[in-house]
Every structure is written in structure tokens, then in C-alpha cells.
Amino acid sequence: HDAFIARMNQKADDLGLNQTAYTDPSGLLSDNISSAYDMARLIAFASEDDRIGPIMRTSPTRLR
């Protein structure tokens, strides 16, 4: 669990998300921090991933 959080923080650092820090693997606790700018950059990085991007571009009506 701690090792996974360390990897999340390392990946954020690798991506240049300098205002992001994770304290739990869900990313949902209020102790996790990220700026709006970093979140927008994270979404941009995710959308370029061949595994995630197509899902992000799927129409919500097709997911029902």
C-alpha cells in the first residue's frame, strides 16, 4: 500500500505534476492534493494512453 502510493507520487513527479501529492491509493481523501492545472495535465496524459483514451472518448450513451 505504501509502496503503491510512493509509485503514484513518483509518477506524478515524472509527469511534472509539481502541485500534486497522494497520501492514499484511491486519491479521494482530502489529504491528497492537486491543483486544477495538474488535474488538467493528468487528464491530457491519460487521454493519450491507448488503453484509457478510447474509453474517455466513448459517448456516455454507449456506456449504458
Side-chain angles (χ1 to χ4, degrees), residues 1-12 22-25:
H1 167 243
D2 289 339
F4 184 74
I5 295 167
R7 287 184 20 221
M8 289 172 64
N9 284 311
Q10 182 60 56
K11 186 62 174 181
Y22 299 104
T23 60
D24 82 296

Side-chain angles (χ1 to χ4, degrees), residues 36-63:
Y37 179 75
D38 278 6
M39 291 301 296
R41 292 189 67 209
L42 182 58
I43 291 168
F45 286 122
S47 70
E48 294 172 7
D49 186 283
D50 291 338
R51 298 162 293 177
I52 300 170
I55 296 167
M56 292 174 71
R57 290 185 287 278
T58 301
S59 169
T61 58
R62 294 191 63 196
L63 296 175

